[in-house]
Amino acid sequence: MRLTTKGRYAVTAMLDLALHGDQGPVSLADISERQGISLSYLEQLFSRLRRQKLVSSIRGPGGGYQLSRGADAVFIAEVVDAVSESLDTTRCGNKGDCQQGEKCLTHHLWSDLSDQIHQFLSDISLGDLMKKREIQVVATRQNLRKSEQDSQTINTDRLIDQASA
């Protein structure tokens, strides 16, 4: 299986959105800062997620994104599928032309594995992940780091204001 950056980042961003969505719409800039994903890449991903109705956008001041339904009703396979990510473990794209135009000896094994992986991810919701202690620990650490960075920015701005006064 080859889950590329696109699928991994989409799941990470959606989990961040689920973790912070109780405070209102979440900006992509905040997700970008917490997760270290470029803003332009997030914009591309969220365009696809919005088209698949997994998120909705809120315009204006205080705007951002929110889940279109509860975190317990958004499954990881949906997120991966929404960004056109393949969970295919065959070398032929599951076309069955792996060995000179015909199925190879192990085609069905790898095809079945792909199905198992997709089913596994279909059974895990964002809500399930949010309940995991290790995810809560990481989210807390990220929030503390962001708060410290925000405080440093405010202090720097104050120093600049005082110096120019």
Side-chain angles (χ1 to χ4, degrees):
M1 179 190 132
R2 195 174 73 95
L3 180 62
T4 64
T5 302
K6 188 187 307 182
R8 290 179 188 277
Y9 281 0
V11 171
T12 299
M14 287 290 284
L15 182 55
D16 185 286
L17 180 62
L19 287 164
H20 296 92
D22 60 339
Q23 302 157 7
V26 178
S27 75
L28 293 184
D30 285 345
I31 295 172
S32 172
E33 188 175 342
R34 278 190 294 268
Q35 302 308 324
I37 304 170
S38 86
L39 186 57
S40 61
Y41 201 78
L42 284 173
E43 289 168 348
Q44 293 172 29
L45 292 175
F46 272 74
S47 173
R48 293 177 180 197
L49 294 166
R50 190 176 59 244
R51 276 195 300 267
Q52 295 301 313
K53 298 187 180 1
L54 293 175
V55 298
S56 57
S57 61
I58 309 297
R59 295 185 182 269
Y65 284 87
Q66 59 189 19
L67 296 177
S68 293
R69 55 187 189 260
D72 288 326
V74 177
F75 294 90
I76 304 307
E78 290 180 282
V79 175
V80 173
D81 292 344
V83 295
S84 304
E85 184 65 25
S86 173
L87 295 173
D88 182 23
T89 56
T90 66
R91 291 187 348 187
C92 63
N94 213 18
K95 295 177 189 163
D97 60 357
C98 10
Q99 190 173 34
Q100 299 162 344
E102 296 179 354
K103 287 183 181 169
C104 70
L105 191 60
T106 56
H107 175 82
H108 292 289
L109 171 69
W110 303 127
S111 181
D112 289 347
L113 177 60
S114 297
D115 294 342
Q116 290 290 319
I117 292 168
H118 196 273
Q119 184 57 52
F120 173 76
L121 295 177
S122 294
D123 291 338
I124 301 171
S125 71
L126 292 173
D128 294 332
L129 293 178
M130 291 170 63
K131 294 171 192 161
K132 290 187 172 281
R133 185 183 178 325
E134 54 272 15
I135 288 177
Q136 293 172 5
V137 168
V138 172
T140 300
R141 184 192 74 228
Q142 291 174 341
N143 290 337
L144 287 172
R145 185 176 350 117
K146 184 174 182 319
S147 293
E148 289 170 1
Q149 290 170 346
D150 291 347
S151 293
Q152 289 174 354
T153 300
I154 290 169
N155 289 338
T156 303
D157 290 347
R158 285 185 188 151
L159 290 173
I160 292 170
D161 289 345
Q162 290 173 353
S164 63

